[in-house]
Amino acid sequence: MTDALPALTLLLVDDEAPARARIKELLQDIAAELPTRVVGEAADGEEALALIQHLRPDVALVDIRMPKMDGLELARHLAGLPQPPALIFATAYDTHAVQAFDLNAVDYLLKPVRAARLQAALEKARLVGPLTTERLTKLRQDAGQGPRRHFSCHERGRILLVPVQEVLYLKADLKYVTARTREREYLLDEALTHLEQEFAERFIRLHRSVLVAKDALSGFERGQGDGEDGGEHWLALLKEVPEKLPVSRRQWSHVKQYAK
C-alpha cells in the first residue's frame, strides 16, 4: 500500500514564494494518499544546487523560469551528481509547448498546479528515479536550450559553479579542459569541441587545444621558435592574466580581426 512507503523528501525550487506555498498546501491535500516531507526551499538554480548536494532530496520540484539560473540549466548540473534527485518541472507554458517536454524521465506540471496532477507526477518520479546522463541528453535535445550561464567543476566531492562570463579561456589537456578565470583555474570534464559549439558567441578558437573569450583579448604579438605549424607564429595577449596563448596558422586569418 502507498501509505506503507517512506515519505518522499522534496526540495521546492521557485523564485516566487507564493508558488512554493501553493505546492505545500497541495502536498497536505494529498498526504493521505502520498506522504511527503519538504526538506528545503530555494529561489533559484544556484541556491537549489547547493541545497541538493547538502540535503539529498528524493525529488526536486523545479520552476523552469528563474533568475540567475533557470530550471533547465539546473538539470544539466544535477546530472553530474553521483545521486541526483528525480526532477519534476513546473511551467507556465501552454499545452502545446509542454508536449515538447513530455519525457518519460521526468514530468512537467502546468501552472496553476492541481493536486491530482501533482500526486501523479510524484508517483511517477518515485518509479522513474533520479536524472541520468541519458535522460539529460534527451532533455537537452527536446528543450532546445541555449548556452549555459555556468560551467560545472567537480572538486573535493562537490560541484562548483563557474560563471561563463568570468572564464577567460578554455584549454584542452588530455581528458580534461582547464577553464581559466582571473583568480584561478578549474578542471572541466567536457570536450573542447562541444564547448566551442555551445558557446560560439563568446569564445573563439585560437588553436586546436585553446578557446579564448573574445572580450578577454587585448592584442597579439609575434612569437619566436617552433610553433604548432613551425617557424614564426602569433601569441594572443589577455587583459587580466599574464599568460600568452598560441594562435595556429590555420586560425590566424579568422582571429586577427580581434586585434586591438
Side-chain angles (χ1 to χ4, degrees):
M1 295 176 63
T2 302
D3 57 5
L5 294 173
L8 279 175
T9 56
L10 309 179
L11 180 74
L12 308 184
V13 187
D14 196 305
D15 60 315
E16 297 182 357
R20 301 196 302 270
R22 162 74 175 167
I23 293 296
K24 287 188 285 187
E25 291 175 357
L26 295 177
L27 291 173
Q28 292 177 358
D29 292 342
I30 64 174
E33 293 79 21
L34 181 65
T36 60
R37 180 165 59 91
V38 176
V39 295
E41 299 181 39
D44 59 64
E46 292 184 40
E47 184 182 359
L49 182 60
L51 287 176
I52 286 168
Q53 293 183 86
H54 176 63
L55 299 173
R56 298 187 179 181
D58 297 319
V59 181
L61 285 163
V62 181
D63 186 33
I64 287 182
R65 292 193 174 183
M66 295 182 292
K68 295 185 180 179
M69 180 191 294
D70 65 22
L72 293 175
E73 182 173 351
L74 172 62
R76 298 187 186 196
H77 298 302
L78 289 181
L81 294 175
Q83 293 181 310
L87 193 62
I88 298 173
F89 283 126
T91 174
Y93 295 159
D94 64 30
T95 303
H96 295 293
V98 172
Q99 288 175 353
F101 297 107
D102 188 16
L103 311 178
N104 291 325
V106 289
D107 208 343
Y108 293 83
L109 300 172
L110 185 63
K111 292 183 176 182
V113 178
R114 305 300 181 189
R117 185 68 185 87
L118 175 61
Q119 181 178 339
L122 289 171
E123 289 175 344
K124 181 179 178 182
R126 189 194 286 276
L127 292 174
V128 169
L131 192 67
T132 65
T133 301
E134 293 76 16
R135 293 168 186 165
L136 175 67
T137 300
K138 185 69 165 64
L139 172 64
R140 291 175 64 178
Q141 291 172 349
D142 289 357
Q145 177 75 338
R148 290 163 286 174
R149 293 185 183 181
H150 301 79
F151 295 115
S152 298
C153 170
H154 293 261
E155 191 171 286
R156 298 177 183 176
R158 295 181 63 81
I159 291 181
L160 299 181
L161 294 176
V162 185
V164 173
Q165 291 298 319
E166 294 182 10
V167 174
L168 305 175
Y169 66 81
L170 300 160
K171 180 184 291 186
D173 182 18
L174 299 178
K175 64 177 292 188
Y176 294 100
V177 169
T178 297
R180 179 68 156 97
T181 68
R182 182 175 58 184
E183 292 80 17
R184 56 166 289 189
E185 295 180 346
Y186 299 87
L187 290 181
L188 311 180
D189 188 11
E190 302 197 51
L192 196 68
T193 52
H194 294 164
L195 294 174
E196 182 181 22
Q197 293 170 4
E198 184 176 354
F199 299 99
E201 292 298 315
R202 174 161 177 79
F203 294 95
I204 184 173
R205 183 175 288 274
L206 295 182
H207 183 276
R208 63 186 177 187
S209 63
V210 180
L211 303 177
V212 67
K214 298 171 186 177
D215 60 10
L217 288 169
S218 65
F220 300 90
E221 68 176 33
R222 290 187 181 275
Q224 301 298 322
D226 293 332
E228 178 190 46
D229 304 304
E232 191 175 59
H233 59 288
W234 288 95
L235 298 171
L237 309 178
L238 306 178
K239 294 177 182 178
E240 299 184 90
V241 293
E243 291 98 312
K244 299 177 181 180
L245 303 176
V247 182
S248 69
R249 184 178 300 174
R250 176 180 299 177
Q251 294 300 122
W252 174 244
S253 60
H254 181 54
V255 170
K256 64 183 180 182
Q257 64 181 296
Y258 295 96
K260 306 299 181 183

